Amino acid sequence: MRHIVVIGNGMVGYKFCEKLRKLADPTQVAITVFGEECRPAYDRVHLSEYFSDQNADKLTLAPARWYEEQNIQLHTGELIAWIDRRNKTVETHRGKTLSYDQLVIATGSSAFVPPIPGTDKRGVFVYRTIEDLEAIIAYGKKMRSAAVLGGGLLGLEAAKAMVDMGLETHVVEFASRLMPRQLDEVGARTLQTRIEELGIQVHLNKNTQAISGNGKLDALRFADESNLPVDMLVISAGIRPRDELGRSARLDIGPRGGIVVNDAMQTSDPAIYAIGEVALHQDIIYGLVAPGYDMAEVAARHLVGDIEKNFSGDDMSTKLKLMGVDVASFGDAFGAKSEHNAIVFEDKAKGVYKRINISADGKRLLGGMLVGDAEAYNMLLQTMQNGMALPPNPEDLILGSRGGETSGAGLDSLPDEAQICSCEAVTKGMICEAVLTGEAQSVKEIKACTKAGTGCGGCMPMVSDLFDLAQAKMGKRVRKTLCEHFNYTRQELLDIIQVKEIKSYDTLLNEYGTGDGCEVCKPAVASILASLWNELVTQQDTIQDTNDRFLANIQRGGTYSVVPRIPGGEITPDKLIVIGQVAKKYDLYTKITGGQRIDLFGAHLHQLPDIWEELIAAGFESGHAYGKSLRTVKSCVGSAWCRYGLHDSVSFAIEVEDRYKGLRSPHKLKGAVSGCARECAEAQSKDFGIIATDKGWNLYVCGNGGIKPQHALLLAQDVDKETCIKYIDRFLMFYIKTAETLTRTAPWLNKLEGGIDYLRDVVVNDCLGIGEQLEQEMQRTLAVYRCEWKEVVNNPELRAKFTHFINSEATDPAVQFDEMRGQKVPAKW
């Protein structure tokens, strides 16, 4: 029986063990693994998640008992100090000697520390292991500010960790832009703007000359003679392969490091293999996990005699979420390798940048980059990798989902060989076969049987879509489950929460979900909880998005808006004066909106409770401009003032807005009331619109403006006010209970089988017999309404959360303004 020794128990070393054990049982191959860290292999890709709960077990790829079950000898906390190639033995730092038949070096890499004077001072850290993070957390508790040296992928991940710790955070980058290997100037500037809005200060073109301080870091000194005073520094300036064992064993080493390997992952000694970030293949060190897993697969196969599979290089495409901002880069992202035509889309207002490079003949996608919206990444990657034909208008590749739905046709056209999960080399054919043969009957089971999505997880949206596609081909009803953590649709989750009277996300996850949740299910569940129970969203602020968390919309530049409710657009002179006084006192930009209210912009986070305290004292309430809830009910002046007005539209609009204020829903809601058919309130462009007639009121539903405007459709004609409100109760509650998350009423109606006729049968004719139930549920929800800002103002604990820095009341120093027409606006970028 052969004996294979593995040096290194990181992600790639673990993956090698897993793959080799599948190919060779313990009677064929004995495996011994040495890892210098004190714990089994863990997930470094999601290392930043350790800052949230500091639970190392959640990052563990496989516990120690897994190695026992696989008959693999695991030695943690034991370092291999020497390789004796002549006698084919290794020696540990404890003096233990072990012989091998084949040796696999998977020692990975270490953080590169530039030769800058002062890196040995207290307060200087690297960002590589759990122990590094523990040291950063312990030190950072007493500090106020931190800098991260390096504006690449790892550097920005480290910067996010500093922000999560509540530290004033700086990113220092030598190059002229962030992520210079993945993004061009415009893409990097877009990313920079988005992360600066979070309060991170970015310093570009900075050549750090020294780290100053008397034993303890107190500032960075740059070549341009400027200084940056900070309390701590995290160095994340790249990686260096851990090739010291290869050097001492006289294996071939690349000029800039790395153990040279061939396509079979063999080093210059055929009995020794190298995989992962320590391996230099065709002059490339791959710093991503997916190529490392491919190397592990190749090495394992060669070790059992399968020499068909070779490593021929790998794609450096990557997609990740940096501080809530989607960033992706794939293929020839810069168009530097061949003649091409670039198609570029930029939305500065939303912080979105997309670029794709098309071959000169217009037939192939060569690569591209995405910032702010990477939803199309997986499909773009597959289109490029499989050389798929481009649509007649290639710009549809990045603009095709303009407010619409993905058809799925593109996914269906992928060849079976298309690699969906690059981490585990899982193809479309493998996923579909698992579903079609019955081996996998859920997305979770696809992960279990194919391993797809168990690496970086970036392929999971496409895995989920493929599952739906395969199910549909089998003639089965496709359930669009919320995400991988909940095998339920939104409607099913709503029913569960309602029937079981679940009031918290954690309870729902523990009883009906798996894992730790994600950025899809957390706000979605938060929305359901709010819709059903109408409790304060601040009670579960950690599952809300930023706007709901701070009860205000974050604006360009990092400040927030203040939007008091002005029902029906009616406001007294006294209240106008108060708004003016508050705006002057806090130097806020003011603007009258299309929803007939006054927005105040430019408030710092810590100012929000004080501002709202003054507004509430004057009789204002939250306008819920930040929430997926009722925004406004617009009105014309109606019969009170207008010669053409048939009814009092203002009073009706105020009554309706007061009734549904604070009502949470799958998407924002807008209403309007017009006093006659001239429609000055534009009621037919709202989610629900009411228009006066000679005989009463006409009720229109499911209209909206936005990217894809859609006129509302007539639901009921010539009804009285009471009936009109009853129908709105039923309509809104039916929508809340059945619509997918982030689906407005117009696309919801478009998908509803039977359309407006069916909706009218449900709401007006009560064909399902649920009309009274819907009304009662609406009444219960509305009965518990409380102004969220009033609760915050009067609750010291909630109020204390509105600070930019956890350990300081200082104002965000990165926020800057220009002046325009006598008011402040965010500084140009």
Side-chain angles (χ1 to χ4, degrees):
M1 181 172 64
R2 284 188 297 153
H3 183 206
I4 294 176
V5 172
V6 182
I7 305 176
N9 188 224
M11 294 181 73
V12 174
Y14 159 74
K15 186 57 62 177
F16 170 80
C17 293
E18 184 186 79
K19 291 183 180 294
L20 180 60
R21 187 48 89 213
K22 280 188 178 179
L23 297 170
D25 63 39
T27 65
Q28 300 169 300
V29 173
I31 305 173
T32 302
V33 182
F34 289 92
E36 65 183 69
E37 292 190 60
C38 61
R39 52 176 60 87
Y42 54 87
D43 182 358
R44 292 185 200 274
V45 175
H46 298 99
L47 193 59
S48 63
E49 294 178 7
Y50 184 77
F51 280 93
S52 60
D53 57 12
Q54 298 178 37
N55 186 342
D57 290 342
K58 289 185 177 180
L59 294 174
T60 302
L61 296 175
R65 69 173 180 278
W66 178 86
Y67 295 87
E68 296 172 5
E69 292 167 357
Q70 301 297 320
N71 281 303
I72 296 173
Q73 293 292 322
L74 174 65
H75 301 271
T76 57
E78 193 158 5
L79 179 70
I80 295 296
W82 181 255
I83 299 172
D84 183 345
R85 290 171 53 192
R86 180 187 299 273
N87 295 306
K88 301 183 79 169
T89 61
V90 294
E91 182 178 334
T92 75
H93 76 291
R94 293 173 178 157
K96 184 189 303 178
T97 301
L98 205 68
S99 62
Y100 66 82
D101 293 302
Q102 278 94 23
L103 185 67
V104 177
I105 301 176
T107 45
S109 63
S110 59
F112 168 63
V113 179
I116 301 172
T119 55
D120 56 344
K121 295 185 186 299
R122 291 201 313 277
V124 180
F125 302 88
V126 295
Y127 185 87
R128 191 67 182 160
T129 67
I130 287 179
E131 284 70 26
D132 294 333
L133 269 58
E134 289 174 338
I136 291 171
I137 292 170
Y139 194 84
K141 287 179 179 177
K142 305 172 185 175
M143 300 298 126
R144 180 179 175 275
S145 62
V148 176
L149 193 61
L153 292 172
L154 291 175
L156 295 180
E157 281 283 343
K160 178 182 182 302
M162 299 303 102
V163 172
D164 290 344
M165 291 171 64
L167 299 173
E168 174 191 308
T169 303
H170 302 259
V171 173
V172 178
E173 169 58 45
F174 179 80
S176 60
R177 64 180 189 269
L178 297 174
M179 295 183 66
R181 292 187 177 182
Q182 289 84 19
L183 299 177
D184 62 14
E185 289 286 348
V186 181
R189 190 170 65 239
T190 304
L191 174 64
Q192 181 178 341
T193 300
R194 293 288 297 271
I195 65 174
E196 283 178 338
E197 289 173 352
L198 301 176
I200 295 175
Q201 299 176 55
V202 179
H203 308 267
L204 302 175
N205 297 306
K206 290 294 184 184
N207 182 0
T208 307
Q209 291 289 289
I211 298 168
S212 63
N214 184 17
K216 169 182 167 300
L217 156 77
D218 60 23
L220 304 182
R221 193 166 71 240
F222 303 119
D224 59 6
E225 299 185 351
S226 62
N227 290 288
L228 176 63
V230 287
D231 298 324
M232 62 186 291
L233 172 68
V234 177
I235 297 176
S236 185
I239 60 171
R240 286 290 181 270
R242 292 281 307 277
D243 57 11
E244 60 270 18
L245 278 175
R247 290 178 186 272
S248 63
R250 297 186 180 278
L251 298 175
D252 286 352
I253 303 294
R256 300 180 62 184
I259 300 175
V260 177
V261 295
N262 60 19
D263 291 349
M265 310 317 302
Q266 285 173 304
T267 67
S268 51
D269 181 338
I272 301 179
Y273 292 67
I275 57 177
E277 293 173 351
V278 71
L280 179 68
H281 180 261
Q282 295 182 1
D283 297 325
I284 297 177
I285 295 286
Y286 290 90
L288 301 173
V289 69
Y293 282 6
D294 279 349
M295 293 177 181
E297 170 88 19
V298 169
R301 288 189 176 279
H302 273 258
L303 284 166
V304 297
D306 178 1
I307 60 173
E308 294 296 320
K309 186 175 177 63
N310 285 316
F311 184 79
S312 56
D314 213 326
D315 187 60
M316 296 292 278
S317 301
T318 185
K319 174 194 170 191
L320 67 163
K321 189 178 283 290
L322 293 169
M323 295 173 243
V325 183
D326 282 329
V327 179
S329 173
F330 63 98
D332 186 5
F334 296 93
K337 298 178 181 176
S338 58
E339 191 176 350
H340 72 285
N341 292 310
I343 298 175
V344 173
F345 169 79
E346 183 182 13
D347 185 338
K348 290 185 177 179
K350 295 182 178 177
V352 174
Y353 175 70
K354 302 179 182 181
R355 167 180 170 170
I356 53 174
N357 301 316
I358 307 297
S359 61
D361 60 7
K363 294 182 178 178
R364 292 181 301 113
L365 176 62
L366 303 176
M369 60 188 73
L370 307 166
V371 178
D373 177 7
E375 183 180 358
Y377 168 75
N378 284 321
M379 199 63 222
L380 288 171
L381 182 62
Q382 294 303 326
T383 301
M384 179 201 71
Q385 289 181 335
N386 295 284
M388 294 169 63
L390 301 183
N393 299 307
E395 64 270 22
D396 289 350
L397 291 171
I398 52 176
L399 304 177
S401 59
R402 285 165 280 186
E405 312 297 329
T406 53
S407 64
L411 195 62
D412 198 17
S413 64
L414 284 177
D416 284 347
E417 299 75 24
Q419 191 175 85
I420 304 301
C421 174
S422 56
C423 294
E424 293 287 345
V426 182
T427 65
K428 172 192 171 186
M430 294 163 68
I431 293 172
C432 291
E433 184 181 359
V435 180
L436 295 172
T437 59
E439 187 179 5
Q441 298 186 22
S442 67
V443 173
K444 183 179 179 182
E445 290 180 2
I446 288 178
K447 291 180 68 174
C449 68
T450 68
K451 293 288 185 181
T454 58
C456 69
C459 63
M460 282 313 298
M462 187 166 276
V463 172
S464 179
D465 288 344
L466 278 174
F467 175 75
D468 291 346
L469 185 66
Q471 289 278 88
K473 284 187 174 180
M474 295 168 67
K476 292 186 176 181
R477 182 173 68 94
V478 176
R479 295 171 63 251
K480 194 169 181 58
T481 55
L482 194 60
C483 68
E484 63 176 295
H485 303 106
F486 288 102
N487 189 28
Y488 298 96
T489 66
R490 179 188 180 277
Q491 188 172 352
E492 289 168 341
L493 278 178
L494 186 145
D495 291 339
I496 290 171
I497 292 170
Q498 186 172 33
V499 171
K500 300 294 183 182
E501 297 188 358
I502 293 173
K503 299 292 183 72
S504 75
Y505 174 82
D506 289 342
T507 302
L508 183 70
L509 185 65
N510 290 337
E511 296 183 10
Y512 294 93
T514 59
D516 302 321
C518 64
E519 296 182 3
V520 173
C521 61
K522 288 179 179 177
V525 171
S527 171
I528 295 172
L529 292 169
S531 295
L532 286 175
W533 312 125
N534 213 4
E535 295 182 342
L536 296 177
V537 295
T538 47
Q539 291 179 352
Q540 299 187 62
D541 56 352
T542 57
I543 62 172
Q544 312 287 348
D545 60 26
T546 299
N547 291 346
D548 270 319
R549 187 169 185 172
F550 296 117
L551 304 179
N553 286 333
I554 189 168
Q555 304 294 329
R556 189 163 68 85
T559 58
Y560 293 82
S561 62
V562 174
V563 186
R565 185 170 296 285
I566 302 177
E570 183 182 80
I571 186 168
T572 65
D574 286 341
K575 283 192 170 180
L576 277 174
I577 290 171
V578 170
I579 287 181
Q581 290 172 333
V582 168
K584 290 187 70 173
K585 180 177 179 179
Y586 295 94
D587 188 22
L588 303 177
Y589 171 95
T590 55
K591 186 180 187 309
I592 297 172
T593 73
Q596 296 184 334
R597 54 187 180 184
I598 301 172
D599 287 5
L600 299 91
F601 295 92
H604 292 278
L605 184 59
H606 72 278
Q607 292 177 322
L608 291 175
D610 294 338
I611 292 172
W612 275 104
E613 185 171 14
E614 296 187 31
L615 292 172
I616 288 169
F620 286 103
E621 292 181 298
S622 170
H624 293 91
Y626 46 83
K628 299 296 180 283
S629 58
L630 180 74
R631 299 288 176 86
T632 63
V633 178
K634 189 176 179 180
S635 75
C636 63
V637 295
S639 59
W641 289 93
C642 179
R643 291 180 293 125
Y644 303 105
L646 297 174
H647 304 306
D648 183 359
S649 55
V650 177
S651 296
F652 199 10
I654 293 172
E655 180 182 347
V656 172
E657 184 161 346
D658 277 339
R659 179 174 182 78
Y660 300 111
K661 62 187 177 187
L663 177 68
R664 296 280 175 161
S665 54
H667 211 301
K668 62 184 177 184
L669 292 169
K670 294 183 178 180
V673 182
S674 283
C676 74
R678 288 173 178 78
E679 254 281 69
C680 292
E682 302 165 322
Q684 292 180 81
S685 65
K686 307 300 183 189
D687 296 283
F688 59 91
I690 304 166
I691 301 176
T693 70
D694 292 334
K695 300 177 182 176
W697 303 90
N698 283 350
L699 175 59
Y700 293 82
V701 296
C702 301
N704 64 228
I707 295 175
K708 294 185 72 174
Q710 185 167 315
H711 257 127
L713 299 176
L714 182 64
L715 184 72
Q717 190 169 10
D718 296 328
V719 295
D720 56 31
K721 283 175 57 178
E722 291 72 24
T723 304
C724 188
I725 288 177
K726 179 174 74 173
Y727 290 164
I728 297 174
D729 278 2
R730 293 180 179 183
F731 159 67
L732 289 179
M733 188 51 72
F734 188 55
Y735 160 67
I736 288 169
K737 291 169 73 75
T738 59
E740 296 293 336
T741 302
L742 299 180
T743 302
R744 289 199 68 175
T745 57
W748 168 70
L749 179 66
N750 295 341
K751 290 180 180 179
L752 201 64
E753 193 171 346
I756 188 65
D757 292 334
Y758 173 70
L759 182 62
R760 187 180 296 110
D761 274 347
V762 173
V763 173
V764 178
N765 302 325
D766 197 15
C767 66
L768 301 179
I770 60 173
E772 187 175 345
Q773 175 190 338
L774 295 173
E775 293 170 42
Q776 292 174 350
E777 289 174 350
M778 177 61 78
Q779 194 57 43
R780 282 197 298 271
T781 302
L782 299 179
V784 296
Y785 164 78
R786 289 176 290 170
C787 173
E788 291 163 339
W789 266 114
K790 189 173 183 179
E791 296 295 324
V792 170
V793 165
N794 295 323
N795 185 323
E797 185 177 346
L798 292 176
R799 195 165 177 151
K801 295 182 178 180
F802 288 80
T803 57
H804 188 78
F805 301 108
I806 289 178
N807 53 357
S808 169
E809 295 182 355
T811 300
D812 179 3
V815 174
Q816 295 183 350
F817 298 100
D818 293 333
E819 183 177 316
M820 180 183 292
R821 295 182 291 277
Q823 295 200 83
K824 72 176 185 181
V825 293
K828 294 179 179 177
W829 48 278

